[in-house]
Amino acid sequence: MIKKLTFILTALAVVLVAGCGNNSSNGTNDGDDKAKHKIAYVTNGIDPFWDLCAAGVRQAESELGGVECEIHFPTKGLADQKSIMESLMAKGIAGMAVSPVDADGQTKFLNEIASQTKLITHDADAPKSERLVYIGTDNYKAGRALGRLVKEAIPDGGEVAIFVGRLEQLNARQRRQGVIDELLDRPSQTLGQIKFDEVAKVFKGEKYTIVDTRTDNFVMDAAKSNAEDAITKYENLACMVGLFAYNPPRCLQAIKEAGKLGKIKVCGFDEDDALLQAIKDGHAHGTISQQPWNYGYQSVKVLKSILDGDNSVIPPNKFIDLGYKSVTAKNIDEFWSEKNKMAALGKKKD
Amino acid sequence: MPKEPPLLEASSIGKQFPGVRALHNVNLTLFQGEILSLVGENGAGKSTMMKLLAGIHLPDDGAIKLNGDLVEITNVREAQKYGIALIHQELNLSDNLDIAANIFLGNEPHKNGVMDHNRIHRESAQFLKRVGLEFPTDTLVADLTIGHQQLVEISKALSVDARIIIMDEPTSSLSQKESKKLFEVIRGLKSQGISIIYISHRLGEVIDLSDRVSVLRDGENAGELVGDEITHDAMVKLMVGRDLSQFYNRTVTALGEKIFEVKGLRTPPYPDNEISFSVRSGEILGIAGLVGAGRTELLQTIFGITPAVGGSMKLNGKELMPKSSLEAIDSGIVLAPEDRKRHGLILEMNVRENTSLARLSRDQKVGIIDFNNEYELAEKTIKELKIKTPHSSQVVQYLSGGNQQKVVLGKWLSMNPSLLLLDEPTRGIDIGSKQEIYKLMEELAASGVAVIFVSSEMEEVLGMADRVLVMHEGAVTGDLSREQLNEEAVMQLATGNKAAA
Amino acid sequence: MNKNTIGILSLFVLIFGFTWYSNENFVNGYNMTNLVKWSSLYAIMGIGVAFVIITGGIDLSIGSVIGLVASLLALAIKYEWNPTLTVVLLLGLSIVIGLMHGLLITKVKLQPFVVTLCGLLFYRGISRWLTDNQTMQFPGTENLDSFFSGKLLIFGKFALSSPFFFLVVVAIIAAFFLNRTIWGRYLLALGNNEDGARYSGIQTDRLKIAAYVICSFLAGVSGLLFAYELDSVQPAQTGEFYELYAIAAAVLGGCSLRGGQGAIFGVIIAAAVIRLLRNSINLVGISTHLEFSIIGLVILGGVTADELIKRIVAKRRSKQISTSKS
């Protein structure tokens, strides 16, 4: 019995690996393969956010030339990401850009990778590891910017609830801390030395109260029912803050079904179409976009430079801050068309 | 008869299983160097009693004394310590090991975990000598006949210094020659001062072998016979609680047409043996034979559970060869299987649901169960078969064996079968129900149903059958009419001795 | 209503009361609407797997079938297929999936665990491959939207949503099938004792296949409902682990994994208990991280209590019988 099962699993694995192989090999073939750096771009999950990053990767690939990039979306968190990275190493890859699922816990493993290949991090950093550079947004600053959006949305103050996929991720914790610090008018903290507040705690400021932070582990129905339950529990909820791209749309769904559209404000992160539409319609106040295509583009660009022997791209603090963009009703049209343009560009390449 | 205090004395033993009172106030004594036979019908409590002595079950009531000391035998190891060894009907040897390894299995002499091979083989050889088995001790058990394996079991008992050896139906799968050899060994053991408790259905053996016979009936002591008192009739009388002639009160009815005919039937386990026979309407045909003779397999093939690999069958003049039980049932053949609990009943369902199970597909309307009809059917069955149950919603696993069997029969009788197959219909059933089932068989036969029953109980076969087929190793070795029937003839045929017929 | 159902119902009432006591908003219309909706979605899956569990089998592929159906639905909408036709085809597909499971289990005689475990992997892989593993925004289609995720306002803010009406239909048919038809009886019989059922002339293979078909079909229905409810489909994650919730609901609702036992009403209440626990955890303000542990503990407690009660009942019965005999 066990033999049979092992056989089937092995067969499945072979099929899957073969499938992956096909995907990567149908990339650009218009140059000299030898001259091309083979690199990989590894995300921390699947999300439209990563699709846009992938678009940037493809754009860089074609614009810069001389580099070929595999893109991987681990679906099952830490273990899955690790095994993908391991098989990439086994395959032999010149450089890798990764968004670590659990920065601290993975340090040792990341160092192992860094010893064998050019490793950079993007989107989420692993500051204790020996990655060459981190490309991303100062998520704490972005969080504070999100906090400012909340202040704009409910200038008179009120109860705020935060929704997020996982808090194991450093970027999620930084964003959350940024939002909390901004709403409580605390002094700004420096990235890398942030003191994080615990999860199960209510934070009461002068005007704003952060009543809850709910995690859903990327499970959609949990994300939605978390939003629903918060609306039930906090009658005076004034604003819902979604830290991951799929959170704000779930909040909006729940608000709509509760008949409280416009009464409960929504501020979000990233650029889900449903959220952008809501901003346009006035149902959501705004979002902080990291312009993900920049992530993909810059990751490829930086890796290529490093592989070409040009280390000048690495700043002394090993952090390339791509900044963020606040999107509200004022600049929604301009932003959305740029996003669509990038998305289309990425798709065309595939 | 030795008159010193008994070696073993069990008094007022009681044992209860869920839904069954297995033993009640049973007394048993055994003296040193004595061969005590324990007889009784299936379900009388013999095996339970022996399992209590061997530490497999614990008694609920009563006391066991060994050499006058009160003991409590809580597990098999402890029983061994007291010198009690039980040899099961199905042997417990490891086929893949040699004789010596089997004899010392679990008791290997060792030094710091390293087995002392020489000692194992040396001592095994001595034990084999005591039971008269002349094989090298490194012979694989798989290469021995059943009879020889039995002797290895006995050697194993001797290896743990057993003073009391209990044998549960040791001859049930032995040839006559092998049985004779076994008896010699048993007498030899007796002369070495070992006490034997011998359980058997074969009363002839019991008469030959026993110093004393204790009879159990329905989990209670039915009586004791010593020396010359040990006769066939006396034992049967105690076992069934009345005279045999009264018990199997068979009124033979006139037989009708041949309604079922089997020609050259070959069953999957014995594809080389062709079986042919026929049954008349109103006839009760018994099938006798030893365990493993292929009787159950024959019934299962007729019933379509294990479809035949060759041959033909005819029921009421129509050719049939059922590929499933559904086909057999639809053409009027039903089977009350040997293993009631596994095959005959849905134990966790109630009486009503069990009685209607086969009929449902006939009584349905577009797949919907007619509950009134079902209820009436159940009530009628309970009344007609005198099923003892508080109500028709009683779950059948809580009924006694006899009543469970009646539920099985009730299920089939409501289908008005032309051919009723019964496999060990009275196994594990109390005397009262047994008699009712016999009566039922007669009534059915009288109403024109052909009845075929398989039984391992000689009394039952002799008492109930109009005609007896005897099987041996998948083949029919004899077809005896009522006039030709006697225990000796059946035994000879059942052990493959064709000349006896 | 049997004893198991009373047990699970009391558990439901207990948690309901506790949550109400902790947070009075719990019983407001909006929350009740949500609770009923989610419970219904889970209960439909639970009823499906209950049929398989009654036969003594198991179906681990439910979540992946949900994911596959939802992904294909999103794809079809993206490519502007006729939505109604798509829905019919997808339900057909889920029936075919169940049929395959049933045939492999009864005819090739593979173990249900293995067959459906491979199904779990296979359908998930297919979903990801067909959709390129892209999260699908789910624009929906006007008429089907209200069919699959519509709401009927009852009073105040309390509304009954489509999944509830689906559940009502499914539950009535399922309970009728199980308790009133011969096939339901056969299913229970074969779950208790497959050989016994066969010896009574029941064609056990066909019924087993039917059970797997019912299970996959209801997984397919759930897939459609989940897709419309969430307006978003993630091929790699939609429906993941739902089989475990479904199995938990079935077991907690009185189905024995040994087969032969099942009560549709119990499964519905058990599904409600599981959803209620989640709701309660959020409303009472327990860390979401404890959610799985709490659900696991409650289910364990539920089945342990159930087993103990059964043992006591059995003991009492056998005593009754033996005393009436002597």
Side-chain angles (χ1 to χ4, degrees):
Chain A
M1 199 68 254
I2 288 169
K3 259 187 195 164
K4 240 190 254 171
L5 192 61
T6 321
F7 171 75
I8 291 164
L9 290 177
T10 317
L12 268 170
V14 168
V15 171
L16 283 175
V17 169
C20 293
N22 281 341
N23 276 344
S24 57
S25 64
N26 64 13
T28 47
N29 255 340
D30 47 343
D32 184 4
D33 263 10
K34 269 183 201 162
K36 283 197 174 181
H37 300 300
K38 288 200 169 36
I39 59 170
Y41 187 80
V42 181
T43 74
N44 67 8
I46 42 166
D47 194 276
F49 175 85
W50 293 121
D51 300 341
L52 289 169
C53 290
V57 169
R58 294 296 173 223
Q59 196 192 8
E61 219 176 31
S62 73
E63 280 182 21
L64 303 172
V67 62
E68 191 179 313
C69 188
E70 286 182 34
I71 304 172
H72 288 277
F73 306 92
T75 55
K76 297 201 172 48
L78 193 60
D80 200 21
Q81 188 181 55
K82 186 172 177 191
S83 74
I84 284 174
M85 287 164 71
E86 278 167 351
S87 53
L88 283 171
M89 291 318 297
K91 219 157 99 179
I93 211 100
M96 192 189 295
V98 63
S99 171
V101 171
D102 174 11
D104 289 349
Q106 276 171 301
T107 304
K108 207 175 141 202
F109 176 64
L110 289 173
N111 286 344
E112 217 172 277
I113 301 278
S115 70
Q116 295 170 55
T117 190
K118 307 290 182 199
L119 177 73
I120 65 172
T121 51
H122 63 94
D123 175 55
D125 191 18
K128 289 175 200 154
S129 76
E130 283 153 26
R131 82 309 183 237
L132 296 172
V133 66
Y134 164 50
I135 298 175
T137 306
D138 181 333
N139 272 297
Y140 178 74
K141 276 189 198 155
R144 289 202 78 117
L146 181 54
R148 283 195 291 279
L149 283 182
V150 174
K151 283 176 165 174
E152 281 172 36
I154 43 170
D156 299 332
E159 291 181 357
V160 177
I162 299 174
F163 301 90
V164 62
R166 292 197 180 106
L167 278 176
E168 289 92 329
Q169 281 168 233
L170 190 61
N171 62 347
R173 288 209 296 268
Q174 290 166 343
R175 282 177 200 176
R176 174 172 175 270
Q177 201 56 47
V179 172
I180 292 170
D181 287 357
E182 180 65 31
L183 290 179
L184 301 184
D185 294 318
R186 291 171 175 170
S188 190
Q189 305 193 55
T190 317
L191 200 65
Q193 293 154 25
I194 293 172
K195 194 182 147 284
F196 294 109
D197 284 311
E198 57 186 291
V199 180
K201 206 175 150 187
V202 174
F203 302 96
K204 215 165 155 52
E206 240 169 81
K207 276 168 133 185
Y208 300 94
T209 308
I210 294 104
V211 289
D212 211 346
T213 303
R214 288 274 135 191
T215 57
D216 54 54
N217 264 304
F218 294 121
V219 177
M220 284 302 105
D221 72 283
K224 191 177 177 192
S225 58
N226 279 350
E228 289 171 352
D229 291 345
I231 293 172
T232 298
K233 188 175 179 187
Y234 309 108
E235 280 170 296
N236 302 321
L237 195 62
C239 185
M240 299 170 96
V241 176
L243 295 187
F244 283 178
Y246 62 84
N247 290 122
R250 302 285 94 70
C251 293
L252 284 160
Q253 268 184 317
I255 292 170
K256 189 178 166 200
E257 283 165 23
K260 290 192 169 173
L261 269 185
K263 279 185 210 152
I264 300 176
K265 307 289 182 194
V266 173
C267 291
F269 227 92
D270 300 334
E271 47 288 306
D272 190 286
D273 280 336
L275 174 59
L276 298 183
Q277 188 62 49
I279 294 172
K280 209 170 148 83
D281 296 343
H283 297 148
H285 178 72
T287 186
I288 300 296
S289 170
Q290 307 166 80
Q291 295 163 291
W293 43 89
N294 279 351
Y295 276 63
Y297 193 95
Q298 290 298 329
S299 295
V300 174
K301 194 175 164 193
V302 167
L303 271 177
K304 183 181 182 302
S305 301
I306 294 171
L307 289 169
D308 286 342
D310 173 12
N311 279 345
S312 66
V313 286
I314 303 175
N317 68 352
K318 309 217 165 165
F319 174 39
I320 301 174
D321 188 355
L322 295 180
Y324 55 84
K325 189 166 199 161
S326 285
V327 181
T328 57
K330 275 180 241 157
N331 58 352
I332 179 71
D333 287 333
E334 176 200 335
F335 176 80
W336 204 350
S337 67
E338 190 191 356
K339 181 205 158 186
N340 284 339
K341 201 181 80 198
M342 289 310 296
L345 206 71
K347 265 177 201 149
K348 214 164 72 188
K349 191 67 208 158
D350 272 351
Chain B
M1 275 306 295
K3 273 300 161 206
E4 72 268 28
L7 174 61
L8 173 88
E9 189 174 10
S11 45
S12 302
I13 300 291
K15 178 72 190 170
Q16 190 85 32
F17 292 114
V20 190
R21 195 188 62 182
L23 292 174
H24 180 65
N25 202 17
V26 172
N27 298 311
L28 191 78
T29 50
L30 179 68
F31 295 91
Q32 194 185 352
E34 181 187 35
I35 300 175
L36 169 71
S37 285
L38 196 58
V39 299
E41 297 194 293
N42 283 322
K46 298 168 302 205
S47 292
T48 308
M49 187 65 204
M50 294 308 106
K51 282 177 182 163
L52 295 181
L53 294 179
I56 295 169
H57 295 315
L58 283 177
D60 297 337
D61 304 304
I64 298 173
K65 278 186 190 168
L66 268 175
N67 286 328
D69 298 331
L70 207 57
V71 294
E72 204 170 328
I73 306 168
T74 51
N75 58 45
V76 178
R77 282 246 148 195
E78 221 160 295
Q80 259 178 23
K81 205 180 76 195
Y82 290 126
I84 302 174
L86 170 62
I87 297 174
H88 292 266
Q89 191 170 359
E90 272 108 40
L91 302 177
N92 284 328
L93 297 174
S94 301
D95 276 359
N96 55 335
L97 299 179
D98 65 24
I99 293 179
N102 266 290
I103 289 177
F104 280 98
L105 198 62
N107 286 310
E108 290 85 355
H110 63 86
K111 253 187 209 141
N112 307 322
V114 180
M115 275 198 288
D116 186 345
H117 263 280
N118 289 335
R119 204 178 128 198
I120 290 178
H121 282 276
R122 197 176 59 237
E123 290 186 12
S124 292
Q126 288 168 7
F127 294 126
L128 290 188
K129 216 179 200 169
R130 278 173 73 185
V131 300
L133 188 60
E134 287 150 8
F135 279 102
T137 53
D138 57 0
T139 313
L140 278 188
V141 162
D143 297 336
L144 300 178
T145 63
I146 302 281
H148 290 141
Q149 289 182 11
Q150 196 114 46
L151 298 178
V152 175
E153 278 274 15
I154 295 172
S155 307
K156 195 175 166 181
L158 295 176
S159 79
V160 292
D161 279 330
R163 290 177 295 165
I164 301 172
I165 297 179
I166 304 167
M167 296 187 197
D168 193 357
E169 302 257 13
T171 57
S172 62
S173 33
L174 298 191
S175 69
Q176 248 170 340
K177 214 175 127 196
E178 285 174 323
S179 300
K180 286 220 171 85
K181 164 90 186 158
L182 178 69
F183 299 155
E184 276 171 37
V185 171
I186 291 175
R187 290 195 185 98
L189 293 174
K190 174 184 153 84
S191 69
Q192 294 166 28
I194 290 169
S195 308
I196 308 284
I197 301 180
Y198 188 84
I199 300 175
S200 180
H201 275 117
R202 300 199 177 147
L203 301 183
E205 296 173 4
V206 172
I207 297 169
D208 278 359
L209 210 55
S210 317
D211 297 322
R212 197 155 54 91
V213 172
S214 182
V215 185
L216 289 181
R217 182 170 73 228
D218 284 347
E220 296 182 38
N221 287 104
E224 208 175 270
L225 303 166
V226 181
D228 291 344
E229 296 167 17
I230 306 173
T231 63
H232 197 278
D233 286 347
M235 282 189 282
V236 170
K237 200 167 165 182
L238 288 173
M239 279 161 68
V240 301
R242 71 209 82 182
D243 276 340
L244 190 61
S245 53
Q246 273 173 7
F247 195 66
Y248 298 101
N249 190 9
R250 183 88 172 81
T251 43
V252 182
T253 44
L255 301 186
E257 295 292 300
K258 245 186 218 177
I259 63 166
F260 181 63
E261 203 174 351
V262 171
K263 266 200 188 133
L265 190 72
R266 295 186 292 131
T267 62
Y270 302 99
D272 299 331
N273 288 333
E274 296 197 339
I275 296 172
S276 303
F277 66 92
S278 63
V279 198
R280 291 163 183 277
S281 124
E283 186 174 30
I284 298 179
L285 174 70
I287 302 183
L290 300 179
V291 172
R295 299 169 300 169
T296 294
E297 290 80 355
L298 173 62
L299 293 195
Q300 285 179 342
T301 296
I302 297 173
F303 189 55
I305 289 283
T306 49
V309 290
S312 67
M313 292 195 267
K314 222 189 237 177
L315 182 69
N316 291 322
K318 254 172 56 186
E319 286 280 342
L320 85 158
M321 190 49 78
K323 292 264 182 297
S324 70
S325 54
L326 186 63
E327 275 180 55
I329 294 165
D330 282 343
S331 47
I333 303 175
V334 299
L335 166 70
E338 176 185 14
D339 192 335
R340 231 174 4 247
K341 294 182 177 174
R342 258 183 63 204
H343 300 144
L345 294 164
I346 312 295
L347 277 182
E348 289 168 37
M349 285 189 156
N350 63 32
V351 174
R352 179 170 45 79
E353 289 160 337
N354 269 288
T355 39
S356 69
L357 198 55
R359 258 204 88 86
L360 276 183
S361 58
R362 294 194 188 174
D363 294 340
Q364 50 134 342
K365 292 185 196 105
V366 284
I368 297 164
I369 300 170
D370 182 342
F371 283 100
N372 285 334
N373 191 4
E374 189 191 23
Y375 178 78
E376 278 164 25
L377 176 76
E379 292 297 320
K380 199 175 129 214
T381 307
I382 291 172
K383 216 168 110 195
E384 283 180 357
L385 299 187
K386 299 192 190 91
I387 299 172
K388 280 188 205 111
T389 172
H391 41 71
S392 64
S393 307
Q394 175 70 296
V395 178
V396 294
Q397 67 177 318
Y398 300 117
L399 297 183
S400 71
N403 286 306
Q404 286 182 348
Q405 183 70 316
K406 287 186 196 167
V407 173
V408 176
L409 292 174
K411 169 172 75 177
W412 292 127
L413 297 187
S414 74
M415 304 286 285
N416 300 318
S418 328
L419 174 63
L420 173 63
L421 308 174
L422 302 168
D423 198 353
E424 304 283 3
T426 61
R427 176 170 288 180
I429 283 177
D430 61 289
I431 300 280
S433 306
K434 223 171 192 178
Q435 225 173 359
E436 288 174 71
I437 285 168
Y438 295 145
K439 219 172 114 208
L440 200 67
M441 283 164 72
E442 273 197 320
E443 282 169 12
L444 286 168
S447 73
V449 176
V451 177
I452 301 180
F453 78 101
V454 162
S455 176
S456 297
E457 275 186 56
M458 191 61 79
E459 310 300 331
E460 187 169 291
V461 173
L462 299 179
M464 285 307 295
D466 290 317
R467 198 153 58 86
V468 173
L469 287 187
V470 187
M471 290 185 72
H472 174 70
E473 288 177 0
V476 173
T477 48
D479 185 342
L480 306 171
S481 69
R482 198 163 173 83
E483 293 73 41
Q484 297 168 299
L485 270 182
N486 64 63
E487 187 171 350
E488 175 70 15
V490 174
M491 263 338 283
Q492 291 282 354
L493 290 166
T495 47
N497 197 347
K498 283 195 185 197
Chain C
M1 205 188 300
N2 63 26
K3 282 179 209 73
N4 293 343
T5 314
I6 292 171
I8 185 73
L9 202 59
S10 353
L11 187 60
F12 179 83
V13 171
L14 203 74
I15 304 170
F16 195 98
F18 170 72
T19 317
W20 192 354
Y21 172 79
S22 310
N23 189 330
E24 57 181 15
N25 287 341
F26 170 66
V27 290
N28 74 22
Y30 176 68
N31 194 50
M32 284 299 117
T33 304
N34 293 328
L35 184 59
V36 170
K37 175 185 72 190
W38 292 115
S39 301
S40 305
L41 281 164
Y42 276 47
I44 292 171
M45 295 187 293
I47 290 173
V49 81
F51 276 95
V52 167
I53 290 177
I54 284 169
T55 70
I58 195 84
D59 191 343
L60 299 175
S61 71
I62 296 170
S64 292
V65 171
I66 287 174
L68 181 63
V69 166
S71 301
L72 289 175
L73 179 68
L75 263 188
I77 289 173
K78 188 174 156 196
Y79 290 116
E80 292 174 0
W81 285 27
N82 177 329
T84 316
L85 182 68
T86 304
V87 165
V88 172
L89 283 177
L90 287 177
L91 291 178
L93 173 71
S94 49
I95 287 174
V96 170
I97 287 173
L99 197 63
M100 290 305 299
H101 291 168
L103 287 172
L104 285 169
I105 288 159
T106 56
K107 302 300 176 193
V108 191
K109 306 215 181 302
L110 301 180
Q111 286 176 341
F113 190 97
V114 176
V115 170
T116 58
L117 177 66
C118 294
L120 176 150
L121 297 169
F122 183 73
Y123 310 132
R124 183 61 69 192
I126 293 290
S127 310
R128 294 175 58 183
W129 177 63
L130 284 175
T131 56
D132 229 4
N133 211 359
Q134 299 292 304
T135 298
M136 318 276 271
Q137 299 300 318
F138 197 80
T141 44
E142 281 306 317
N143 51 343
L144 288 181
D145 246 3
S146 54
F147 185 63
F148 285 115
S149 62
K151 284 204 163 58
L152 185 70
L153 214 58
I154 304 295
F155 58 85
K157 281 191 172 171
F158 181 68
L160 289 172
S161 48
S162 292
F164 173 75
F165 295 105
F166 272 82
L167 172 66
V168 169
V169 174
V170 167
I172 289 174
I173 294 175
F176 187 82
F177 180 87
L178 200 59
N179 300 318
R180 299 269 157 159
T181 70
I182 56 169
W183 305 295
R185 176 71 62 78
Y186 289 172
L187 218 51
L188 290 167
L190 92 87
N192 267 320
N193 182 351
E194 189 171 347
D195 278 340
R198 210 154 49 93
Y199 272 77
S200 292
I202 293 168
Q203 288 171 305
T204 51
D205 282 1
R206 285 189 199 179
L207 280 154
K208 271 182 155 177
I209 294 171
Y212 285 93
V213 168
I214 291 170
C215 183
S216 292
F217 173 75
L218 289 181
V221 172
S222 309
L224 299 174
L225 290 169
F226 272 111
Y228 274 98
E229 172 59 33
L230 294 169
D231 286 351
S232 154
V233 176
Q234 296 166 301
Q237 278 156 345
T238 298
E240 207 181 12
F241 291 134
Y242 285 8
E243 56 276 343
L244 299 184
Y245 285 116
I247 292 166
V251 171
L252 191 55
C255 299
S256 160
L257 285 179
R258 284 183 289 267
Q261 274 179 26
I264 300 300
F265 185 65
V267 174
I268 295 171
I269 300 298
V273 165
I274 291 173
R275 281 312 309 197
L276 177 62
L277 277 172
R278 273 192 159 183
N279 191 230
S280 177
I281 287 162
N282 273 339
L283 293 191
V284 175
I286 301 165
S287 165
T288 9
H289 296 145
L290 270 176
E291 177 188 318
F292 289 134
S293 315
I294 291 174
I295 293 176
L297 266 182
V298 169
I299 294 174
L300 192 65
V303 293
T304 309
D306 183 44
E307 186 60 39
L308 293 178
I309 290 169
K310 251 184 243 161
R311 230 178 269 173
I312 292 165
V313 169
K315 219 175 210 173
R316 203 175 288 162
R317 278 205 196 163
S318 77
K319 246 184 205 155
Q320 262 172 18
I321 297 235
S322 58
T323 45
S324 70
K325 231 172 100 182
S326 53

